[in-house]
């Protein structure tokens, strides 16, 4: 049986509240779970009160092969229970194809303008015989 440490949504419309649960991967998000091990209330202003977890039980389930989802892994990494692999997507910060074309065209136009401005200055600097 594959286990996940994941979030289960509770709360009302536009007022989210999540339970951190241990669940079989085949069960629905808000459905059947094995054990409730904490909660996350993203609406609270104080960062310290937003996430509460039972660290002992989470350690137990991690030892029995439960894998956290990405959001829960962030919480566990902050608590020092689980080391999250850093993500690296260098292409995400790059502009799109059309934007890169516009940047290249602007750079080329700027170089041509500099060359055109430098040409008359060079002719004036050369002595005439």
């Amino acid at each position: 049986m594959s286990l996940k440490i994941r979030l289960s949504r509770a709360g009302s419309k536009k007022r989210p509240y999540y339970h951190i649960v241990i669940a079989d991967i085949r069960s629905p998000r808000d459905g059947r779970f094995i054990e409730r091990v904490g909660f996350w209330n993203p609406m609270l202003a104080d960062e310290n009160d937003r996430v509460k977890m039972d660290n002992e039980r989470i350690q137990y389930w991690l030892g029995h092969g439960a894998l956290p989802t990405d959001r829960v892994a962030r919480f566990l990494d902050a608590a020092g229970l689980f080391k999250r692999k850093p993500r690296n997507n260098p292409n995400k910060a790059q502009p799109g194809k059309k934007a890169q074309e516009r940047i290249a065209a602007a750079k080329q136009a700027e170089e041509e303008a500099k060359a055109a401005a430098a040409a008359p200055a060079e002719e004036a600097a050369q002595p005439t015989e």
Side-chain angles (χ1 to χ4, degrees):
M1 175 166 69
S2 297
L3 300 174
K4 283 277 188 184
I5 304 173
R6 65 182 183 201
L7 297 174
S8 175
R9 185 174 167 136
S12 60
K13 182 179 175 183
K14 297 189 180 183
R15 303 287 296 169
Y17 183 90
Y18 297 91
H19 296 285
I20 301 171
V21 298
I22 311 297
D24 184 2
I25 60 170
R26 297 169 293 186
S27 62
R29 179 192 74 179
D30 300 335
R32 197 171 79 199
F33 60 89
I34 298 169
E35 183 178 355
R36 187 177 296 153
V37 292
F39 69 86
W40 174 44
N41 188 353
M43 302 299 287
L44 291 178
D46 187 19
E47 295 238 358
N48 299 329
D49 293 338
R50 282 187 196 164
V51 179
K52 296 287 184 204
M53 297 180 288
D54 185 355
N55 296 341
E56 196 173 290
R57 292 304 294 167
I58 290 175
Q59 282 286 48
Y60 170 81
W61 286 109
L62 287 171
H64 280 78
L67 294 174
T69 59
D70 187 53
R71 175 59 62 180
V72 174
R74 290 173 189 240
F75 301 148
L76 298 179
D77 191 25
L81 298 173
F82 183 80
K83 185 66 180 158
R84 186 173 146 251
K85 287 187 264 179
R87 291 183 158 195
N88 185 15
N89 187 356
N91 296 331
K92 185 171 183 169
Q94 303 242 340
K97 190 175 183 181
K98 291 277 189 176
Q100 286 179 350
E101 291 172 2
R102 285 193 297 269
I103 291 169
K107 190 180 284 187
Q108 184 179 2
E110 183 180 316
E111 289 173 2
E112 290 174 0
K114 282 184 183 179
E122 288 178 11
E123 291 176 10
Q126 292 180 353
T128 56
E129 294 181 38

